Amino acid sequence: MKNRWLGIAALSALLLSSCQSELQDSAAVQAPKPVTLTWMHHFEEDGARKWLKAGTDKFKQSHPEVSFAIEGISGSIYMSSLRSKVVTDEMPDLYMIDSISETKDFIDSGYALNLKDAPFLSNIEDKFLNGVRTPDGSVWALPIDMNGAGIIYNKDAFAKAGITHIPETWEQFLAVCKRLQKQGIIPIAAGYKDSWTISWDLNPDLIANLLASDPDWMLRIEQGLAGFDDGQGRFAQVLTRFGQRLAYTNPNPFETDWNQALGLLASGQAAMIINGTWTVDGVKSLEPDSRIGLFAFPGTDDPKDAKFAVKSTGGIVVNPKSPHVELATEILELFSTQEVGRVFQQDKKAISVIKGLTPDLDPIYAEFNRLYLEPSRTVDWSHITAGFEDQRLNKAYVNALTEFIVDKDHNVEKCIDALNQSFNTIRRRR
């Protein structure tokens, strides 16, 4: 009897061991394989990077097999870096774009997934999809925020100089600059060491006072159907105002990078930066307690013309050639939720385009909403082209503006002639 029970015990142990082995083998088969998703972006501000990390960390909670290789590239070389990835066939699984009009080559070469049937697009305010939608109804990116082009200012610097009202005309703006300079405050911080800031220093004026009434002006120039002296001379007026305010930037702007310019504004050493609303995130990342405000570029002598340029034309793009398209699309679904949108508004200090989120999560944007959004004192530039698809033209544009800045006379006619000549040369070679 004893031997019989020993035999049964041995058989049971064998069967149990076999079952455990089969379960382990089954688990090994069913366990998802580790996946690394690549994501390229151009965010230099700490808040935007926190938002990306918060969203991807949230995704990993439900997808523990997924890890992320997130690469941040300086805005000055971001697009050229992306295009080099196309050449080497190393495009990331996800990437950010600012405008589908300036990244049409990615769409044409099959590196942007058409999202038009994605159910999560219903989470986005429909008006903000217009900027990422082409005439055929295709949607090429998940928009994340409404950004704008205008002036970001330090309220304490204004108060120190005794300035109680934001300028609403060009004459008032120059008077404010003079007053700030007399008080030992740099009126305008410029970080031209990062070349992308040069064209963006011009954009708030260019968009509101030229492109708003002639949205295809730069497109016609790219196609050779117009020159920089066309458009009723409005580009010359933009350049003239640019030259007039260059006297009020910090010394050695070409030795100052974007982060240093942000530091000047955050500390109150400088009073203003002329750029995009993402500047708020950059300043707040350096000095969370700094009192920052926004106002429209006042490019004329009529206060009614001082409108803030706002749009939503870029966002997150999925690479359809990625081996992980389904996972990447799931990430977009998560980033379209109110939960991640709230993180975006709190950390990036920007206005989310997700339904149900109001722009009053930060005092800066509550004021911006009251002054510009609610009374419709805005210019919608979602369908305005403020750059050139051909990167050789973009480079020539920035080079000519650089020469204009360096030229102590800031000769407008000379700059326009140089632009026309360089663009004609590039077009002939093309």
Side-chain angles (χ1 to χ4, degrees):
M1 181 67 68
K2 180 179 179 181
N3 290 337
R4 178 186 175 191
W5 286 114
L6 286 173
I8 293 173
L11 180 60
S12 298
L14 181 61
L15 289 172
L16 179 62
S17 174
S18 177
C19 287
Q20 288 176 336
S21 177
E22 288 178 8
L23 288 171
Q24 289 171 353
D25 291 344
S26 176
V29 169
Q30 295 176 5
K33 295 181 180 179
V35 173
T36 299
L37 292 174
T38 54
W39 192 334
M40 277 183 68
H41 68 85
H42 52 61
F43 298 129
E44 298 185 40
E45 298 81 14
D46 188 49
R49 295 184 179 220
K50 284 182 178 178
W51 161 72
L52 276 177
K53 186 177 187 306
T56 51
D57 284 350
K58 177 72 176 176
F59 188 80
K60 286 189 289 186
Q61 290 176 11
S62 57
H63 297 77
E65 79 281 7
V66 174
S67 60
F68 288 88
I70 300 177
E71 184 180 8
I73 304 291
S74 169
S76 298
I77 60 171
Y78 178 71
M79 292 309 300
S80 60
S81 298
L82 263 184
R83 288 185 169 94
S84 70
K85 296 285 187 181
V86 171
V87 174
T88 58
D89 198 23
E90 296 175 308
M91 279 291 282
D93 301 300
L94 300 116
Y95 58 96
M96 312 299 299
I97 61 168
D98 286 333
S99 169
I100 62 170
S101 64
E102 295 171 23
T103 50
K104 185 175 178 293
D105 52 327
F106 292 112
I107 297 172
D108 292 344
S109 55
Y111 284 101
L113 181 67
N114 190 345
L115 304 172
K116 69 175 181 178
D117 296 323
F120 55 79
L121 289 184
S122 63
N123 296 336
I124 308 299
E125 294 280 358
D126 192 64
K127 63 182 178 181
F128 296 123
L129 290 172
N130 291 332
V132 292
R133 183 188 282 133
T134 44
D136 63 357
S138 299
V139 176
W140 301 105
L142 176 72
I144 54 174
D145 67 342
M146 179 181 69
N147 55 57
I151 298 178
I152 304 87
Y153 75 106
N154 187 305
K155 293 185 175 183
D156 290 328
F158 269 45
K160 183 179 178 181
I163 301 167
T164 57
H165 298 285
I166 59 174
E168 293 188 306
T169 68
W170 182 241
E171 184 179 353
Q172 291 173 6
F173 180 80
L174 292 178
V176 162
C177 288
K178 291 176 183 177
R179 186 173 187 126
L180 287 163
Q181 200 171 60
K182 286 182 179 179
Q183 294 296 320
I185 300 170
I186 299 167
I188 304 168
Y192 297 155
K193 187 174 182 179
D194 287 316
S195 59
W196 70 268
T197 66
I198 295 174
S199 57
W200 261 98
D201 205 328
L202 212 66
N203 275 350
D205 189 2
L206 183 70
I207 294 166
N209 297 301
L210 192 164
L211 299 178
S213 58
D214 192 356
D216 295 328
W217 183 76
M218 297 188 89
L219 181 61
R220 292 201 308 277
I221 289 177
E222 174 138 15
Q223 295 171 343
L225 302 176
F228 285 89
D229 46 354
D230 296 334
Q232 299 178 341
R234 286 193 294 266
F235 185 67
Q237 295 168 14
V238 170
L239 276 182
T240 298
R241 287 189 289 271
F242 187 38
Q244 289 173 344
R245 57 186 167 84
L246 284 171
Y248 300 106
T249 60
N250 46 285
N252 305 315
F254 287 101
E255 297 175 15
T256 306
D257 64 24
W258 175 239
N259 284 325
Q260 289 170 323
L262 290 173
L264 291 173
L265 184 63
S267 65
Q269 296 178 68
M272 297 177 284
I273 281 182
I274 303 172
N275 206 286
T277 49
W278 49 81
T279 305
V280 174
D281 179 16
V283 172
K284 287 289 189 176
S285 296
L286 296 174
E287 294 285 347
D289 296 329
S290 58
R291 296 198 314 126
I292 300 298
L294 300 164
F295 67 89
F297 188 94
T300 75
D301 292 325
D302 186 348
K304 293 179 182 178
D305 292 334
K307 296 181 179 181
F308 213 100
V310 294
K311 64 140 186 159
S312 180
T313 59
I316 311 171
V317 182
V318 171
N319 173 11
K321 298 183 181 183
S322 160
H324 313 299
V325 174
E326 291 185 7
L327 278 174
T329 308
E330 285 186 52
I331 292 168
L332 263 61
E333 182 176 6
L334 175 64
F335 273 74
S336 72
T337 62
Q338 287 189 4
E339 179 183 2
V340 178
R342 287 191 187 94
V343 174
F344 180 83
Q345 291 199 151
Q346 291 165 356
D347 286 347
K348 194 180 182 296
K349 301 292 185 283
I351 301 175
S352 173
V353 297
I354 296 173
K355 289 179 180 177
L357 296 180
T358 57
D360 58 0
L361 290 177
D362 188 281
I364 297 170
Y365 288 106
E367 180 183 59
F368 180 68
N369 185 45
R370 177 175 56 82
L371 293 177
Y372 293 102
L373 298 182
E374 287 183 352
S376 297
R377 294 181 60 199
T378 59
V379 171
D380 181 4
W381 64 293
S382 298
H383 296 287
I384 290 175
T385 300
F388 302 101
E389 183 179 336
D390 189 328
Q391 294 307 298
R392 292 169 296 178
L393 297 180
N394 266 326
K395 185 176 180 179
Y397 180 62
V398 173
N399 286 345
L401 292 178
T402 299
E403 292 297 323
F404 178 77
I405 297 167
V406 173
D407 176 12
K408 62 180 181 180
D409 297 323
H410 308 308
N411 190 309
V412 171
E413 186 177 343
K414 180 180 177 182
C415 181
I416 289 176
D417 286 344
L419 280 166
N420 284 334
Q421 290 178 22
S422 60
F423 272 53
N424 285 335
T425 300
I426 292 169
R427 290 194 207 97
R428 283 197 296 271
R429 290 173 179 169
R430 188 171 59 190

